[in-house]
Amino acid sequence: NIAQIVQILVKQFADKDVVLANKLFKQTRQENIEIEVPNSYKIKMVSTILRICSLNNYANVPDFDWYLAVLSDLCVISQDLNDEAIGLQLGAELRNIMVKVPSMRETCISTIVGLVSNNDICRQLPMVFKECLWCIGEYPSPISNGDDIIKLITRQRRLTPEVQQIAAQALIKIFSSWCNTNGNVPINDVKHTIQELISFFESL
């Protein structure tokens, strides 16, 4: 029943929850009461979801497609929490699925590309962005549009040095895979992408 449990927990992330007063206080008159959900509670819920899903080497996860969707949703709803530890946990889970579940790598890369394309997540969850870059760099073969991914990464601004270090390695690996996997890449596209890379590295 882990999917139902996680669904209930994720619903807790609404900024305000509404309950009926007569159910809480046994009043005769029904009245809706808004309850603010504090960030500290939301942070605890994300951590709890990750812990129960990864318990015993993912023994409770019935479907890794479902779990990847959960991780993607958690990244989106966690971007305003400003909690570095949650970013580390979410990034680590994405990396672990990529490494431990080879059959899910193509789906995982698709999920990760979606996250990398989200500027808010890149800016507010840098540790998630860092692990996404590592995954794309280590397993770039499912990506057919490597030039587009390179543009997405090189045009990110205000990357922390820790993220830049991973990006520098990932970009070369993505470029190499893109050129070698797709034998019919137009030479002008290659030249343009190389210029994108040179500009990025010169900025460092």
Side-chain angles (χ1 to χ4, degrees):
N1 62 347
I2 194 170
Q4 292 90 337
I5 292 172
V6 169
Q7 185 179 21
I8 291 169
L9 292 177
V10 169
K11 285 182 179 179
Q12 305 286 313
F13 283 88
D15 290 334
K16 292 182 179 179
D17 199 6
V18 178
V19 296
L20 293 177
N22 68 323
K23 289 185 177 180
L24 281 178
F25 308 112
K26 298 182 180 179
Q27 297 176 356
T28 56
R29 182 172 61 88
Q30 285 194 357
E31 182 181 354
N32 289 336
I33 296 179
E34 288 187 346
I35 299 176
E36 294 279 353
V37 181
N39 279 355
S40 58
Y41 180 80
K42 295 177 182 180
I43 291 168
K44 184 176 182 180
M45 286 301 97
V46 175
S47 183
T48 300
I49 290 170
L50 296 178
R51 182 169 56 83
I52 63 175
C53 288
S54 61
L55 200 64
N56 298 325
N57 204 25
Y58 305 105
N60 295 324
V61 173
D63 180 0
F64 281 101
D65 283 302
W66 166 82
Y67 188 43
L68 280 174
V70 168
L71 290 175
S72 179
D73 289 343
L74 289 178
C75 287
V76 172
I77 61 181
S78 298
Q79 58 189 340
D80 295 325
L81 296 180
N82 296 318
D83 187 270
E84 185 176 349
I86 288 300
L88 285 168
Q89 285 182 276
L90 287 166
E93 281 302 291
L94 289 167
R95 184 191 65 227
N96 287 343
I97 297 301
M98 182 66 80
V99 173
K100 292 184 176 182
V101 193
S103 62
M104 292 301 300
R105 282 175 186 163
E106 190 166 343
T107 304
C108 196
I109 282 290
S110 178
T111 300
I112 285 171
V113 168
L115 294 173
V116 169
S117 304
N118 187 322
N119 288 328
D120 291 333
I121 289 178
C122 297
R123 186 177 65 256
Q124 296 175 246
L125 289 173
M127 292 300 99
V128 170
F129 186 47
K130 172 192 167 189
E131 296 299 346
C132 286
L133 292 180
W134 183 89
C135 291
I136 295 174
E138 293 303 309
Y139 304 98
S141 56
I143 299 174
S144 59
N145 59 331
D147 53 335
D148 293 331
I149 301 300
I150 288 170
K151 290 174 186 175
L152 273 175
I153 297 171
T154 55
R155 294 176 185 181
Q156 288 293 332
R157 296 293 178 262
R158 294 178 295 179
L159 298 178
T160 65
E162 191 175 2
V163 176
Q164 287 177 339
Q165 181 183 7
I166 300 300
Q169 300 173 45
L171 284 167
I172 298 299
K173 294 176 181 179
I174 296 167
F175 177 74
S176 175
S177 175
W178 173 63
C179 287
N180 289 303
T181 302
N182 300 287
N184 57 347
V185 177
I187 188 64
N188 286 336
D189 290 352
V190 174
K191 289 179 179 179
H192 181 72
T193 304
I194 288 175
Q195 191 55 53
E196 291 270 353
L197 289 171
I198 290 172
S199 297
F200 173 81
F201 286 110
E202 283 180 342
S203 72
L204 304 179

